[in-house]
Amino acid sequence: MTTADLAPTGPAQIELGLDTFGDVTRDATGELLSAAQTIRNVVDQAVLADQVGLSFFGIGEHHRREFAVSSPEVVLAAAAARTKRIHLGTAVTVLSSDDPVRVFERFSTLDAVSSGRAEVILGRGSFIESFPLFGYDLRDYEALFDEKLELFSQLLTEKPVTWSGTLRAPLEEADVFPKTENGLRAWVGVGGTPESAVRAARYGYGLMLAIIGGPAERFRPFAELYRRSLETFERPELPVGVHSPGHIAETDQQAWDEAYEGFEAMNNSIGRERGWPPYNRLRFQHDVGPGGALYVGSPETVARKIADTVRTLGAWRFDMKFSTGTLSHEKMMRSIELYGTEVAPLVRDMLS
């Protein structure tokens, strides 16, 4: 299956997926789990997502203490061995500080071991730790991504590639292995800039909108620009997806109470580095409301908000980032179960 095969066919076919950054969580005594145990828990979470019929499970790449997963493909391969139907991919792969050839090789290998279920979502990365770690200059932040995205788009053809740029050695009739059996699904993760939407269309990637603040309506111009750009570049119709944080429990109040501590911890940890004001419950309650980007609540509340977002953006897939901060593994497992067994059917009913 190629990226072009991801085109939406109508609301009844909406795909519902999950994303995690492998947030290091606490156990029942309040102690932080080891990164190793967190990674094992992520595999169990993927298995449950498959069992409840969800479409996609994505793992983000990070290189800092709050997140356990720095090599998503390895964890995804472990999940592939224990799952049957669910697609497995990244959320995101930081292409700017990686090599496109190696990224393709890793994901074509994952595609083989998962029998064609691999996807890759490529991004520049909102965290910059990987740049000095792997010897890249942050002054080349934009140029690195643009060059490597162009090269990766050529590698997706799975034909010998001749390419040259300014920040990487050129390729001359380079043939890359292993080949996939039916092509590799590829998206670009976009945080909300017009240039990013146009870039995704130019190179023929699906558009994954990372909506982590504000209402979905604010991102409609980017989805519309992307679709207009596809026409301009004479590309076939390609999908728009959404990535947003969320948590589900039996009632709104229970979900809010369970999720708040994790959201507070994560926002304050990152916020201290970026100069954000301290996170508080008032801000949280706004974010879980109609004007916010958190999909936190009962199954009906979350389903209604997802359906509204899908209609607003013409989205083909919605991925809920179900891990945030120190929220426990047990609560995340219950959230996954409710998402698959209750939210997914409600969303499809609402959209039909």
Side-chain angles (χ1 to χ4, degrees), residues 1-15 185 187 205-207 223 226-227 230 236-241 310 313-318 351:
M1 181 176 291
T2 66
T3 300
D5 293 320
L6 294 174
T9 56
Q13 283 73 43
I14 183 70
E15 289 194 353
R185 289 183 165 194
W187 307 68
Y205 294 95
L207 181 74
Y226 171 70
R227 294 187 176 102
L230 287 173
E237 184 181 17
L238 294 171
V240 173
V310 168
L313 300 175
W316 183 87
R317 189 166 83 197
F318 182 92
L351 292 175

Side-chain angles (χ1 to χ4, degrees), residues 18 48-49 52 54 245-250 254-255 258-259 295-297 299 302 320-323 327-344:
L18 291 167
L48 178 58
V52 298
L54 294 170
H247 176 65
I248 306 159
E250 277 71 10
Q254 181 183 347
E258 289 179 354
Y295 293 71
V296 179
V302 172
M320 184 182 77
K321 181 184 177 289
F322 67 95
S323 63
L327 183 67
S328 74
H329 171 60
E330 291 73 23
K331 289 183 173 65
M332 286 191 284
M333 291 289 273
R334 180 57 176 157
S335 181
I336 293 168
E337 182 181 7
L338 291 170
Y339 187 56
T341 60
E342 297 192 26
V343 172

Side-chain angles (χ1 to χ4, degrees), residues 246-299:
H247 176 65
I248 306 159
E250 277 71 10
T251 68
D252 287 346
Q253 190 65 54
Q254 181 183 347
W256 298 339
D257 291 344
E258 289 179 354
Y260 176 71
E261 181 182 348
F263 278 101
E264 179 189 43
M266 184 55 60
N267 274 271
N268 287 341
S269 174
I270 298 170
R272 281 190 291 271
E273 302 171 8
R274 302 187 179 184
W276 298 348
Y279 198 71
N280 56 49
R281 191 67 184 241
L282 185 62
R283 166 72 184 279
F284 174 78
Q285 291 303 146
H286 170 269
D287 290 345
V288 301
L294 302 187
Y295 293 71
V296 179
S298 68

Side-chain angles (χ1 to χ4, degrees), residues 11-342:
Q13 283 73 43
I14 183 70
E15 289 194 353
L16 296 173
L18 291 167
D19 290 334
T20 178
F21 294 168
D23 305 53
V24 176
T25 59
R26 298 189 184 278
D27 62 19
T29 69
E31 293 295 316
L32 285 175
L33 298 176
S34 66
Q37 184 58 54
T38 299
I39 289 170
R40 291 190 288 269
N41 287 347
V42 168
V43 175
D44 288 341
Q45 291 156 11
V47 171
L48 178 58
D50 185 50
Q51 291 171 347
V52 298
L54 294 170
S55 300
F56 176 76
F57 192 88
I59 304 176
E61 172 197 345
H62 291 86
H63 304 272
R64 52 186 293 141
R65 67 170 57 88
E66 293 96 339
F67 307 116
V69 182
S70 59
S71 181
E73 303 90 343
V74 177
V75 184
L76 292 165
R82 295 180 54 195
T83 56
K84 301 293 185 183
R85 295 170 298 277
I86 196 166
H87 278 228
L88 302 163
T90 45
V92 298
T93 291
V94 185
L95 185 64
S96 304
S97 58
D98 210 328
D99 183 82
V101 173
R102 291 294 291 138
V103 172
F104 180 84
E105 289 175 340
R106 296 198 302 266
F107 277 91
S108 61
T109 301
L110 175 64
D111 199 62
V113 299
S114 65
S115 298
R117 293 183 284 133
E119 301 189 19
V120 59
I121 304 178
L122 306 167
R124 291 177 296 181
S126 61
F127 294 88
I128 60 173
E129 289 80 8
S130 63
F131 288 81
L133 191 63
F134 300 126
Y136 289 96
D137 192 332
L138 276 171
R139 290 175 295 186
D140 297 327
Y141 185 80
E142 289 286 347
L144 280 166
F145 188 60
D146 195 46
E147 271 200 10
K148 293 183 178 186
L149 198 63
E150 178 193 17
L151 174 54
F152 196 83
S153 70
Q154 295 189 34
L155 294 168
L156 286 171
T157 68
E158 306 200 29
K159 299 174 182 177
V161 170
T162 297
W163 175 91
S164 64
T166 60
L167 298 169
R168 186 203 185 279
L171 296 175
E172 182 69 32
E173 286 295 300
D175 212 0
V176 179
F177 303 97
K179 307 294 185 184
T180 68
E181 292 175 320
N182 295 293
L184 182 66
R185 289 183 165 194
W187 307 68
V188 172
V190 173
T193 63
E195 296 80 8
S196 295
V198 173
R199 182 191 287 123
R202 178 186 300 119
Y203 297 130
Y205 294 95
L207 181 74
M208 183 61 67
L209 291 167
I211 303 179
I212 58 175
E217 176 68 30
R218 185 165 67 87
F219 289 79
R220 178 184 277 177
F222 302 113
E224 293 174 347
L225 174 61
Y226 171 70
R227 294 187 176 102
R228 291 197 305 270
S229 299
L230 287 173
E231 294 179 2
T232 299
F233 296 123
E234 299 182 342
R235 296 280 187 184
E237 184 181 17
L238 294 171
V240 173
V242 176
H243 156 104
S244 283
H247 176 65
I248 306 159
E250 277 71 10
T251 68
D252 287 346
Q253 190 65 54
Q254 181 183 347
W256 298 339
D257 291 344
E258 289 179 354
Y260 176 71
E261 181 182 348
F263 278 101
E264 179 189 43
M266 184 55 60
N267 274 271
N268 287 341
S269 174
I270 298 170
R272 281 190 291 271
E273 302 171 8
R274 302 187 179 184
W276 298 348
Y279 198 71
N280 56 49
R281 191 67 184 241
L282 185 62
R283 166 72 184 279
F284 174 78
Q285 291 303 146
H286 170 269
D287 290 345
V288 301
L294 302 187
Y295 293 71
V296 179
S298 68
E300 184 172 357
T301 295
V302 172
R304 194 168 303 282
K305 195 168 183 178
I306 291 173
D308 287 345
T309 295
V310 168
R311 291 191 196 98
T312 297
L313 300 175
W316 183 87
R317 189 166 83 197
F318 182 92
D319 292 338
M320 184 182 77
K321 181 184 177 289
F322 67 95
S323 63
T324 300
T326 54
L327 183 67
S328 74
H329 171 60
E330 291 73 23
K331 289 183 173 65
M332 286 191 284
M333 291 289 273
R334 180 57 176 157
S335 181
I336 293 168
E337 182 181 7
L338 291 170
Y339 187 56
T341 60
E342 297 192 26

